[in-house]
Amino acid sequence: MKDAKEIYIATYEEMLEKIKKRYEKGVKDRLSGLQMVHDVLISSTEGAVELRRLLRGLRPFYWRLIEIEFSREEVERGLSCVAKARALARRLWRKYRRLLTILEREEARRAYVEGRGRIVSLFKRCRKGLVVLKNLVIFLQRLPSVDPNAPTLILAGPPNVGKSTFVRSVSSGRPEVADYPFTTKQIVVGHMDHEGVKVQVIDTPGLLDRPVEDMNVIERRAVAALKELNGAVLFLIDPTSSYMSVERQLKVLEGVAGLLRGKQLYVGVNKADIASAEQLEEAYRRAEEAVKRGLALKVYTLAAIKEEEASRVAAEIVSNLLRRPL
Ligand SMILES: Nc1nc2c(ncn2[C@@H]2O[C@H](COP(=O)(O)OP(=O)(O)OP(=O)(O)O)[C@@H](O)[C@H]2O)c(=O)[nH]1
Ligand SMILES: [Mg+2]
């Protein structure tokens, strides 16, 4: 995510290190020593303020992804610890600045040590929180930027059915493709041009036929995209799979249909280039039943590996989407 790339969160240890380095360079007197400590702590925690601002404006899709790996309470606790520390540090700095200008010798020295200790310990209390926030920022930096207003085609389906192959065939997205389940572990975004309109194509990890509560972290990322992003969904199935029967794959479809909040859902019977006539016929028939039951709008037969076939399907779905946007 682009906005997160400009944020840096320093850990408590990094802040201490910075203070130590400044001391080594030398400080003029106690007053400027204390000011330096205060300034380093405040400037090093600007990142947490920016993060707080970023999180306030974050869309539900990102929150859902965050909540898969982080506890929201822990994040909030970290943010408010830093906000409190900054506010109190400013107050203490003003208080001890005044003391240092009126006290003399031993009293001034004591006030200096006490003030510095109190200011630093405010941030020591946030030590754990800062680590959480630092990890959160790194996590956000690695997330793809998704434009909520661009027309979007989301690929979904069981593992190993060809979702990533489809995304590679039609868009600039470069998700890894391999012949084993759960190759894709993250949301991947690609772009394609449709009659001059920039369309997002989103690859998601594979899903199994089980309730969301039982899903692993990787599957939950797919659920976040399916629930929270706007767009049309192409659900692929693999009629040649030895790993999951077509019937089970269509059970996954039922689960997905329940997550979509009215998004247009299409089924693609993939790998038509290697499937036998019987396999294709059975998969098509069963998928058509899902259409009759009102779960999906239409069934396509395709080989995602062939660019022109995948692009034809993508273009038709996107034209429908643009004609009848959600
Ligand atoms: N013959 C043929 N093979 C395909 C086709 N589409 C995908 N494959 C192969 O199927 C395997 C899985 O493809 P992926 O695109 O990685 O599947 P996926 O659905 O993204 O898998 P996960 O990320 O694990 O959920 C790879 O070996 C692909 O080359 C197709 O249309 N025809
Ligand atoms: Mg994949």
Side-chain angles (χ1 to χ4, degrees), residues 23-281:
Y23 267 121
E24 281 165 6
K25 273 199 212 153
V27 286
K28 203 165 78 225
D29 50 24
R30 288 187 187 122
L31 195 61
S32 50
L34 194 62
Q35 167 146 37
M36 178 275 285
V37 171
H38 166 270
D39 290 355
V40 166
L41 292 169
I42 293 293
S43 65
S44 305
T45 48
E46 291 299 341
V49 178
E50 288 163 37
L51 175 62
R52 186 177 212 162
R53 207 174 302 131
L54 177 86
L55 292 175
R56 294 280 173 266
L58 217 54
R59 279 172 299 113
F61 166 60
Y62 287 113
W63 265 116
R64 215 174 261 278
L65 290 178
I66 291 172
E67 282 173 338
I68 296 170
E69 345 259 311
F70 293 84
S71 129
R72 193 159 178 160
E73 290 81 62
E74 234 177 9
V75 171
E76 294 289 353
R77 232 182 292 135
L79 289 171
S80 72
C81 184
V82 175
K84 248 187 250 155
R86 287 167 59 90
L88 286 174
R90 282 200 195 91
R91 288 233 297 268
L92 287 176
W93 154 237
R94 280 198 290 272
K95 174 181 164 176
Y96 283 92
R97 179 177 58 187
R98 204 180 57 244
L99 286 176
L100 286 177
T101 51
I102 52 177
L103 296 175
E104 288 187 358
R105 285 187 215 87
E106 188 50 26
E107 276 185 332
R109 195 193 65 79
R110 239 183 284 139
Y112 168 65
V113 172
E114 182 185 293
R116 188 182 57 186
R118 286 182 71 185
I119 292 177
V120 170
S121 75
L122 290 171
F123 293 86
K124 188 174 183 182
R125 265 185 250 152
C126 307
R127 190 183 193 158
K128 264 202 195 140
L130 284 165
V131 172
V132 172
L133 300 183
K134 191 181 183 80
N135 290 334
L136 175 58
V137 167
I138 294 168
F139 172 81
L140 291 174
Q141 287 171 345
R142 290 183 185 152
L143 288 183
S145 293
V146 178
D147 178 353
N149 303 313
T152 303
L153 172 59
I154 307 165
L155 270 295
N160 212 45
V161 297
K163 302 177 293 299
S164 301
T165 302
F166 187 95
V167 170
R168 289 178 76 101
S169 280
V170 306
S171 81
S172 59
R174 283 291 163 265
E176 196 191 330
V177 166
D179 195 13
Y180 54 83
F182 291 112
T183 303
T184 303
K185 295 181 176 58
Q186 303 281 355
I187 306 292
V188 179
V189 181
H191 295 93
M192 65 175 238
D193 175 87
H194 178 80
E195 295 168 1
V197 179
K198 192 173 173 188
V199 176
Q200 283 179 141
V201 183
I202 300 203
D203 191 15
T204 63
L207 289 166
L208 301 175
D209 60 332
R210 51 185 176 184
V212 176
E213 311 84 72
D214 298 340
M215 285 181 182
N216 62 32
V217 167
I218 301 170
E219 292 171 278
R220 281 170 198 244
R221 294 181 186 136
V223 171
L226 291 167
K227 261 193 162 159
E228 303 297 348
L229 298 178
N230 289 325
V233 177
L234 174 59
F235 186 95
L236 293 183
I237 58 172
D238 177 359
T240 71
S241 174
S242 51
Y243 170 73
M244 218 173 169
S245 68
V246 167
E247 198 180 350
R248 257 189 84 199
Q249 295 185 56
L250 290 170
K251 280 262 162 49
V252 180
L253 174 80
E254 275 181 45
V256 164
L259 300 172
L260 296 184
R261 301 174 174 165
K263 286 188 252 308
Q264 298 163 16
L265 172 60
Y266 299 85
V267 183
V269 176
N270 193 29
K271 308 195 186 178
D273 56 326
I274 53 164
S276 68
E278 296 79 58
Q279 283 172 329
L280 279 178
E281 194 276 323

Side-chain angles (χ1 to χ4, degrees), residues 250 253 267 285-297:
L250 290 170
L253 174 80
V267 183
R285 184 172 46 77
R286 285 186 187 271
E288 267 294 328
E289 280 165 21
V291 172
K292 286 201 192 97
R293 286 167 55 208
L295 293 176
L297 293 170

